[in-house]
């Protein structure tokens, strides 16, 4: 029974890992991908939450990767990113 629980937990974590890395954040434009558009998001005061919001929007748009181009704000961050296919 303990092995079954560990196996199920491992499968669940694997599934979550694949979902969270479906879109890759890059530092420069990928040479093998084309620009597909621009997205924007607003999050709290945490840069990690803004990155997550942008990654979610990029994934919803069907992008393979995204590059954050701007961030602004203090207590309510706003950011934009270029998405690539």
């Amino acid at each position: 029974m303990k092995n079954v629980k560990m196996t199920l937990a491992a499968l669940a974590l694997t599934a979550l890992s694949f979902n969270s890395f479906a879109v890759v954040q890059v530092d420069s434009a990928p040479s093998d991908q084309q620009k597909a558009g621009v997205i924007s998001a607003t999050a709290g005061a945490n840069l990690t939450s803004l990155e997550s919001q942008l990654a979610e929007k990029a994934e919803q748009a069907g992008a393979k990767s995204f590059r954050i181009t701007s961030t602004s704000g203090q207590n309510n961050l706003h950011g934009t990113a270029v998405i690539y296919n």
Side-chain angles (χ1 to χ4, degrees), residues 28-84:
S28 60
S31 61
D32 62 335
Q33 297 176 13
Q34 299 293 319
K35 179 179 174 181
V38 177
I39 56 172
S40 64
T42 302
N46 186 334
L47 277 176
T48 304
S49 63
L50 180 59
E51 288 176 359
S52 296
Q53 289 286 330
L54 289 169
E56 184 177 326
K57 285 193 172 190
E59 186 172 351
Q60 289 173 354
K64 293 181 181 176
S65 61
F66 70 102
R67 180 174 56 92
I68 297 175
T69 54
S70 70
T71 59
S72 62
Q74 291 180 346
N75 295 328
N76 196 20
L77 296 176
H78 176 78
T80 58
V82 176
I83 57 174
Y84 300 94

